[in-house]
Amino acid sequence: MTTPGRRSSTFTRLLRHGFTDASAAERLLDGGELAAVRDDPVLLEALGATADPDLALHGLVRLLEAQPDPTARRELLDTLIAAKPLRDRLLGVLGASEALADHLARHAGDWQALVTYEPRDLHRGVAEFERGLAEADDPVSLRVAYRRCLLSIAARDVCGTIDVAETAAELADLATATLRAALALAEAAAPEDAALCRLAVIAMGKCGGHELNYVSDVDVIFVGEPAEGVDEADEAKAMRAATALASHLMRICSETTVEGSIWPVDANLRPEGRNGPLVRTLSSHLAYYQRWAKTWEFQALLKARPVAGDAALGAEYVAALQPLVWQAADRENFVADVQKMRRRVVETIPVAEVDRQLKLGPGGLRDVEFAVQLLQLVHGRADTSLHSGTTLDALEALAAGGYVGRADAAQLDEAYRFLRSMEHRIQLHRLRRTHLVPEDEADLRRLGRSLGLRTDPVTGLLRAWRRHASVVRRLHEKLFYRPLLDAVAQLAPGEARLSPEAARERLVALGYADPAAALRHLEALASGVTRKAAIQRTLLPVLLGWFADSADPDAGLLGFRKVSDALGKTPWYLRLLRDEGAAAENLARVLSAGRLAPDLLMRAPEAVALLGDGDGGGLTPRARPQLEQEILAAVRRADGAVQAVTAARGVRRRELFRTAAADIVGSYGTEARPVEADPGALVDRVGAAVSDLTAATLAGTLRAVVREGWGDILPTRFAIIGMGRFGGHELGYGSDADVLFVHEPREGVGEREAADAANKVVSELRRLLQVPSADPPLLIDADLRPEGKSGPLVRTLKSYEAYYRRWSLVWERHALLRAEFVAGDADLGRRFTELVDPLRYPADGLGEDAVREIRRLKARMESERMPRGADPKLHAKLGPGGLSDVEWTVQLTQLRHGHTEPGLRTTRTREALAAACEAGLVPAEHAATLDEAWVLATRVRNAVMLVRGRAGDTFPSDPRELAAVGRYLGHGPGHAGDMLDEYRRTTRRARAAVEELFYGG
């Protein structure tokens, strides 16, 4: 008897053997079923060796209780104690699977299936499983027989008799036998249907790849033909019969009975998915894949394998479709389509589950499978050794052929096996379809112990899982690109390498138009034993992936080579790319998005420092006071106006690059930062940044010109007024600066002297800003001045006052809506603004004559300025629903109501439109439509400038440039047509609003 307050020796032994609830275990051992063997050390040791000793003991007691009589119980116990193989198998299953323990409790004699194994039973195949299912004559008995077969797989799995790949293969073979048995039941139930048709069942997915999970949908495709001797006229009848048989097969496997279900049969990988017919003829399948199939559908066919029904028809199906699979890599945007599919899968994972996803999350099973399948499709046409539907076999073949580095393949193989083992053991517990790592401590403990981690199973499991997931994350992209470097740099003597033709194939698949040049660049960047080459070899596999995820990979790689040639010897450059998290990806995005940003960067490559996270200032645009301070300081230090303006233009170039880079990164998104959700915010940031930069550049240039010609003080006060998009803070990358120049003679200075000084300032300012140099010119346009090109370039404030009072035309008042002081004498600028306010916000609004004149001017501009041959519907500035339509509509509202509505007194289009909506002058629906169109048209102009390096108002005709514009606007590869359709739809709606609001119709 145990002394009160002291634990029994049995209790202590139970804790030592891994029981977590030793008290409950002690009670079970003391019960009638196990009393005779409670002290047997063999039993306790065997229980302690299981994944969950408590669960194993509880399952054993339930199994003993389920035996029909004492003799059966005695037989089970005697065999259990005497036969170690049975003991290990049975207790191993009971300690790992609550669901199989339930099955054994319902079918108390099924433990006998684990007693002995013939040598052939150690690695069972389809024939053995078919024998195990042979006596099933209805769906219920099929489920019982299926679980009995599953029991044998699980027993050998948990005991380590078969490894994870063999387990997955046996599960697929059991599924094959089950599909055949289910089809036989369906045919027996409808012999007349069976006589009419030939039906083949093609396994897809994990079943087709011979790598099935314990619990998974079994993906299939059905192929049907009329039976031999059936008239062709009765083909429709034969296909109805085949569909009935296929439907019955699916129900037999999927429906829940008293014995549960087997698994769902999923036929959604068939042509047209769930919207297509369940069964098609072979010719119908072939026609679909030849004409309509998407890239992912060919990827899915990698796993296609005939498993049940008419074997000859199944073989014909595979023979007909396999050639199409190996042509998929020739499809436009092939790699991008596959990678997009992978990203879409990740995006569908609920946020709360991402970190626990074994299959779909980053570093999960799907990353390995997608990477392997991508390489198979690229190289499989020329190398039949890669034609395997099994992930690990295909990975081994890729390594053997030099398509993947052997070390990388070995690490991926190990990680994949570990992750699949975790997945198997998680599902085995309750036989439920899940890919989530549990959160409960007890579940994690059982899972860790089932994988052989006994000392600290929870910590050990989580550490191993994170390590393997990290390996997959690191390698799954590198897998595709690293062999390209090995092929040109010959880094590992003796290891199989990509042949030049295989390297070319891979680069073409990635979207490189000139693979030979790309290989030359890679060789120049990666060859050698220098520190620079070593770091670039580390960076390039990732960079190549980012280049491939752009519209112009060739330009990205060439740009990287140029930057590296210019900066490779500076220690901070490679350190920046290696150590600053965002810098390398930002650089890749910028170099491959078009010509403008790389051109700006190449003129001063040190600006690459802006792309990092550290002290370079990052990609946040700088405020105007900061810009003016830097430029004015450079002007003060300069020796003469030319040097001063060169310094100012250098700052402008650098800041244009910063703005363009930030715009590209925000539009493309990065791994760390998603795409900017609000395109209007991107437009506003670019417009404000370029406008502030232009104003600061003008201020610095003005200071330099004055200092050179007159010292500290100009004989006349001088101000620059921004007009058009400049005054509206809406400049784009390629915009001229629309301005007015105003001056006012200082006391004691004659009109003539003041006018000469002002004109010299304007002339010199324009000249210096356009002098040919490495920096982009800043073009000054003063054509919006009174009398246009015929009028003087610069006027006094009094001259402006006299002109506007007597001669101003409607278009000039209209243009003054955008007037805003930008540089020079602030007081003079303020007085100019006060002078023009009554003109642009007239107290009486606009008369009908003025309104008609504005409409007439607008119509004339549309007809006269539209370039010959341009498609008006795709012209971002002058086309229907474009910038001009929206801006003139908003400005007409400002002219009419600006005097009474203070919110309309702004030079900014979007701000004025929002104010008009707030004031009830523009319906909310129209305001939203006009704003959307204006933002889109502005982004089109910005995109064209970024991509082509020169301004334009229409979409490029070159397919690669058009694709690059599409990427900037958020349209994936191959969707340029969708972009144009969206633009037409958006501007068509905007034009309808303009017709109502501007033209009054």
PDB file of all heavy atoms in Angstrom, residues 590-605:
ATOM      1  N   VAL A 590      14.133  49.368 -59.834  1.00  0.00           N
ATOM      2  CA  VAL A 590      14.419  50.634 -60.525  1.00  0.00           C
ATOM      3  C   VAL A 590      15.118  50.383 -61.855  1.00  0.00           C
ATOM      4  O   VAL A 590      14.783  50.987 -62.877  1.00  0.00           O
ATOM      5  CB  VAL A 590      15.266  51.539 -59.602  1.00  0.00           C
ATOM      6  CG1 VAL A 590      15.873  52.695 -60.390  1.00  0.00           C
ATOM      7  CG2 VAL A 590      14.410  52.069 -58.460  1.00  0.00           C
ATOM      8  N   LEU A 591      16.080  49.463 -61.876  1.00  0.00           N
ATOM      9  CA  LEU A 591      16.863  49.224 -63.093  1.00  0.00           C
ATOM     10  C   LEU A 591      16.052  48.561 -64.194  1.00  0.00           C
ATOM     11  O   LEU A 591      16.389  48.685 -65.371  1.00  0.00           O
ATOM     12  CB  LEU A 591      18.081  48.357 -62.768  1.00  0.00           C
ATOM     13  CG  LEU A 591      19.173  49.006 -61.921  1.00  0.00           C
ATOM     14  CD1 LEU A 591      20.253  47.999 -61.589  1.00  0.00           C
ATOM     15  CD2 LEU A 591      19.760  50.224 -62.621  1.00  0.00           C
ATOM     16  N   SER A 592      14.997  47.840 -63.833  1.00  0.00           N
ATOM     17  CA  SER A 592      14.266  47.072 -64.850  1.00  0.00           C
ATOM     18  C   SER A 592      12.903  47.664 -65.188  1.00  0.00           C
ATOM     19  O   SER A 592      12.147  47.054 -65.928  1.00  0.00           O
ATOM     20  CB  SER A 592      14.098  45.621 -64.382  1.00  0.00           C
ATOM     21  OG  SER A 592      13.490  45.566 -63.111  1.00  0.00           O
ATOM     22  N   ALA A 593      12.599  48.856 -64.652  1.00  0.00           N
ATOM     23  CA  ALA A 593      11.263  49.430 -64.863  1.00  0.00           C
ATOM     24  C   ALA A 593      11.192  50.377 -66.048  1.00  0.00           C
ATOM     25  O   ALA A 593      10.110  50.821 -66.413  1.00  0.00           O
ATOM     26  CB  ALA A 593      10.805  50.159 -63.598  1.00  0.00           C
ATOM     27  N   GLY A 594      12.321  50.718 -66.649  1.00  0.00           N
ATOM     28  CA  GLY A 594      12.297  51.657 -67.767  1.00  0.00           C
ATOM     29  C   GLY A 594      13.616  52.399 -67.864  1.00  0.00           C
ATOM     30  O   GLY A 594      14.580  52.080 -67.173  1.00  0.00           O
ATOM     31  N   ARG A 595      13.660  53.437 -68.705  1.00  0.00           N
ATOM     32  CA  ARG A 595      14.928  54.108 -69.009  1.00  0.00           C
ATOM     33  C   ARG A 595      15.226  55.304 -68.112  1.00  0.00           C
ATOM     34  O   ARG A 595      16.392  55.619 -67.866  1.00  0.00           O
ATOM     35  CB  ARG A 595      14.916  54.590 -70.468  1.00  0.00           C
ATOM     36  CG  ARG A 595      14.869  53.460 -71.471  1.00  0.00           C
ATOM     37  CD  ARG A 595      14.833  54.011 -72.880  1.00  0.00           C
ATOM     38  NE  ARG A 595      14.615  52.941 -73.849  1.00  0.00           N
ATOM     39  CZ  ARG A 595      14.352  53.137 -75.130  1.00  0.00           C
ATOM     40  NH1 ARG A 595      14.281  54.360 -75.612  1.00  0.00           N
ATOM     41  NH2 ARG A 595      14.157  52.118 -75.940  1.00  0.00           N
ATOM     42  N   LEU A 596      14.210  56.007 -67.656  1.00  0.00           N
ATOM     43  CA  LEU A 596      14.458  57.284 -66.994  1.00  0.00           C
ATOM     44  C   LEU A 596      15.288  57.125 -65.720  1.00  0.00           C
ATOM     45  O   LEU A 596      16.340  57.759 -65.568  1.00  0.00           O
ATOM     46  CB  LEU A 596      13.133  57.986 -66.662  1.00  0.00           C
ATOM     47  CG  LEU A 596      13.301  59.320 -65.918  1.00  0.00           C
ATOM     48  CD1 LEU A 596      13.970  60.349 -66.829  1.00  0.00           C
ATOM     49  CD2 LEU A 596      11.963  59.851 -65.411  1.00  0.00           C
ATOM     50  N   ALA A 597      14.828  56.300 -64.795  1.00  0.00           N
ATOM     51  CA  ALA A 597      15.532  56.179 -63.517  1.00  0.00           C
ATOM     52  C   ALA A 597      16.951  55.643 -63.698  1.00  0.00           C
ATOM     53  O   ALA A 597      17.898  56.199 -63.108  1.00  0.00           O
ATOM     54  CB  ALA A 597      14.727  55.302 -62.554  1.00  0.00           C
ATOM     55  N   PRO A 598      17.186  54.587 -64.512  1.00  0.00           N
ATOM     56  CA  PRO A 598      18.577  54.158 -64.728  1.00  0.00           C
ATOM     57  C   PRO A 598      19.443  55.243 -65.363  1.00  0.00           C
ATOM     58  O   PRO A 598      20.612  55.389 -65.015  1.00  0.00           O
ATOM     59  CB  PRO A 598      18.432  52.949 -65.658  1.00  0.00           C
ATOM     60  CG  PRO A 598      17.060  52.429 -65.392  1.00  0.00           C
ATOM     61  CD  PRO A 598      16.235  53.641 -65.117  1.00  0.00           C
ATOM     62  N   ASP A 599      18.876  56.018 -66.316  1.00  0.00           N
ATOM     63  CA  ASP A 599      19.651  57.101 -66.934  1.00  0.00           C
ATOM     64  C   ASP A 599      20.068  58.131 -65.890  1.00  0.00           C
ATOM     65  O   ASP A 599      21.215  58.604 -65.875  1.00  0.00           O
ATOM     66  CB  ASP A 599      18.833  57.787 -68.029  1.00  0.00           C
ATOM     67  CG  ASP A 599      18.735  56.946 -69.294  1.00  0.00           C
ATOM     68  OD1 ASP A 599      19.459  55.930 -69.377  1.00  0.00           O
ATOM     69  OD2 ASP A 599      17.937  57.296 -70.182  1.00  0.00           O
ATOM     70  N   LEU A 600      19.146  58.491 -65.004  1.00  0.00           N
ATOM     71  CA  LEU A 600      19.472  59.446 -63.941  1.00  0.00           C
ATOM     72  C   LEU A 600      20.545  58.874 -63.016  1.00  0.00           C
ATOM     73  O   LEU A 600      21.447  59.577 -62.568  1.00  0.00           O
ATOM     74  CB  LEU A 600      18.213  59.786 -63.139  1.00  0.00           C
ATOM     75  CG  LEU A 600      17.126  60.580 -63.871  1.00  0.00           C
ATOM     76  CD1 LEU A 600      15.836  60.607 -63.055  1.00  0.00           C
ATOM     77  CD2 LEU A 600      17.595  62.009 -64.156  1.00  0.00           C
ATOM     78  N   LEU A 601      20.429  57.578 -62.732  1.00  0.00           N
ATOM     79  CA  LEU A 601      21.376  56.933 -61.820  1.00  0.00           C
ATOM     80  C   LEU A 601      22.768  56.833 -62.443  1.00  0.00           C
ATOM     81  O   LEU A 601      23.777  57.066 -61.775  1.00  0.00           O
ATOM     82  CB  LEU A 601      20.860  55.540 -61.442  1.00  0.00           C
ATOM     83  CG  LEU A 601      21.738  54.710 -60.507  1.00  0.00           C
ATOM     84  CD1 LEU A 601      21.939  55.425 -59.179  1.00  0.00           C
ATOM     85  CD2 LEU A 601      21.121  53.333 -60.290  1.00  0.00           C
ATOM     86  N   MET A 602      22.821  56.475 -63.729  1.00  0.00           N
ATOM     87  CA  MET A 602      24.122  56.273 -64.367  1.00  0.00           C
ATOM     88  C   MET A 602      24.937  57.573 -64.440  1.00  0.00           C
ATOM     89  O   MET A 602      26.155  57.544 -64.500  1.00  0.00           O
ATOM     90  CB  MET A 602      23.953  55.714 -65.786  1.00  0.00           C
ATOM     91  CG  MET A 602      23.352  54.332 -65.844  1.00  0.00           C
ATOM     92  SD  MET A 602      24.150  53.179 -64.732  1.00  0.00           S
ATOM     93  CE  MET A 602      22.980  51.830 -64.794  1.00  0.00           C
ATOM     94  N   ARG A 603      24.254  58.717 -64.429  1.00  0.00           N
ATOM     95  CA  ARG A 603      24.981  59.989 -64.496  1.00  0.00           C
ATOM     96  C   ARG A 603      25.677  60.293 -63.178  1.00  0.00           C
ATOM     97  O   ARG A 603      26.605  61.097 -63.137  1.00  0.00           O
ATOM     98  CB  ARG A 603      24.009  61.115 -64.852  1.00  0.00           C
ATOM     99  CG  ARG A 603      23.556  61.026 -66.312  1.00  0.00           C
ATOM    100  CD  ARG A 603      22.359  61.897 -66.575  1.00  0.00           C
ATOM    101  NE  ARG A 603      21.906  61.771 -67.970  1.00  0.00           N
ATOM    102  CZ  ARG A 603      20.742  62.203 -68.409  1.00  0.00           C
ATOM    103  NH1 ARG A 603      19.896  62.786 -67.581  1.00  0.00           N
ATOM    104  NH2 ARG A 603      20.406  62.047 -69.670  1.00  0.00           N
ATOM    105  N   ALA A 604      25.204  59.656 -62.103  1.00  0.00           N
ATOM    106  CA  ALA A 604      25.853  59.801 -60.786  1.00  0.00           C
ATOM    107  C   ALA A 604      25.522  58.556 -59.983  1.00  0.00           C
ATOM    108  O   ALA A 604      24.606  58.558 -59.149  1.00  0.00           O
ATOM    109  CB  ALA A 604      25.362  61.063 -60.088  1.00  0.00           C
ATOM    110  N   PRO A 605      26.225  57.442 -60.237  1.00  0.00           N
ATOM    111  CA  PRO A 605      25.843  56.164 -59.633  1.00  0.00           C
ATOM    112  C   PRO A 605      25.815  56.158 -58.111  1.00  0.00           C
ATOM    113  O   PRO A 605      25.165  55.312 -57.510  1.00  0.00           O
ATOM    114  CB  PRO A 605      26.923  55.198 -60.170  1.00  0.00           C
ATOM    115  CG  PRO A 605      27.437  55.842 -61.414  1.00  0.00           C
ATOM    116  CD  PRO A 605      27.365  57.311 -61.159  1.00  0.00           C
TER     117      PRO A 605
END
